Amino acid sequence: MSAAKLTSLATSTLSLLLERQRLQASHPTLHLQTISTNLHKIRDGVIALRTTSDDEAAESLRAHYERLRSMFGEEAAEKAGLHTIPPPMPPSPPPLAERVPSPETTYEPYTDDPSPDSDENGILMQQRQIMDAQDAHLDHLSSSIGRQHHISLQIGDELEDTELDGTGARMSNARRKLERVAQGAKRNGSTVTIALLILILLILIVVFKT
């Protein structure tokens, strides 16, 4: 029997069991034979499906059968020969692959001490490289100090020239201001003298008239 027919049979059996549970008090043997026959068919169908490798459908129908069997009652199921269906056994793990031994690796003896000649030559080369690097660094530092000294001298000369130019400009401005003051004093002095003479003349006229 196919999985679809078994599912339909399980659905109709469920309806019969619900009706039997509802009317069991007044009709204790209602649908008893039909339910027992249907459960036997479902059980045989689940076992047959397992042989066809349809494990998913077989496991779903097995769960339906166990629920219907529990609704039918343990005592009635035992009397009708409706035994439980054990769950499927888990698949056995695949056999382990045989390990092939790896070929033996030959190791050469390790020596921590290099030859004396190569050691001395390496030390001399390293010292010579360090000295050359120090000389190059000193030359670069000396040239940098010389450039900075030259730049500082140029800056000092420019500052002196700027200060002298500023002092000369201030002296020229002061001299021009003094000349303006002197010229203004000369012009104002003659005007004051004329005014004083006029005033004296007026005083004399007034005195002689009186």
Side-chain angles (χ1 to χ4, degrees):
M1 189 178 294
S2 64
K5 290 182 178 179
L6 289 172
T7 303
S8 176
L9 183 61
T11 304
S12 62
T13 304
L14 176 62
S15 300
L16 294 175
L17 282 168
L18 293 174
E19 185 178 359
R20 181 175 183 275
Q21 286 180 351
R22 184 168 54 87
L23 301 174
Q24 189 173 7
S26 57
H27 300 81
T29 60
L30 180 66
H31 304 312
L32 185 62
Q33 187 62 37
T34 305
I35 294 171
S36 176
T37 303
N38 291 347
L39 288 176
H40 274 290
K41 290 181 180 179
I42 294 171
R43 186 178 187 280
D44 294 339
V46 171
I47 295 173
L49 283 176
R50 282 185 175 178
T51 60
T52 60
S53 299
D54 194 356
D55 295 335
E56 185 176 357
E59 182 61 23
S60 177
L61 286 168
R62 188 190 73 84
H64 280 300
Y65 169 78
E66 295 297 335
R67 284 196 295 270
L68 295 174
R69 184 179 179 278
S70 64
M71 292 175 65
F72 189 50
E74 186 68 26
E75 185 178 357
E78 290 295 333
K79 287 182 180 180
L82 297 169
H83 305 294
T84 59
I85 304 174
M89 297 295 293
S92 59
L96 296 176
E98 184 178 359
R99 296 183 61 183
V100 179
S102 59
E104 295 183 359
T105 306
T106 58
Y107 298 97
E108 296 180 358
Y110 174 75
T111 57
D112 197 13
D113 298 328
S115 61
D117 295 336
S118 61
D119 191 11
E120 292 179 0
N121 293 332
I123 292 174
L124 289 175
M125 287 292 294
Q126 188 177 5
Q127 289 178 351
R128 189 176 295 110
Q129 290 175 358
I130 293 173
M131 292 175 66
D132 293 339
Q134 290 178 351
D135 292 339
H137 181 68
L138 290 174
D139 293 338
H140 179 70
L141 183 62
S142 177
S143 61
S144 299
I145 293 173
R147 286 195 299 271
Q148 291 178 359
H149 179 67
H150 182 66
I151 292 171
S152 63
L153 291 177
Q154 288 181 348
I155 293 173
D157 294 338
E158 291 178 358
L159 289 175
E160 289 179 358
D161 294 339
T162 303
E163 290 177 357
L164 291 174
D165 293 340
T167 303
R170 287 194 293 272
M171 292 180 66
S172 298
N173 290 331
R175 189 180 299 109
R176 284 195 294 271
K177 289 180 180 180
L178 288 173
E179 290 177 355
R180 291 196 196 97
V181 171
Q183 291 176 1
K186 288 180 180 179
R187 290 193 297 268
N188 293 332
S190 59
T191 303
V192 170
T193 303
I194 294 171
L196 287 174
L197 291 174
I198 293 171
L199 180 59
I200 293 170
L201 181 60
L202 290 174
I203 292 171
L204 291 175
I205 292 171
V206 171
V207 169
F208 284 118
K209 281 186 178 184
T210 57

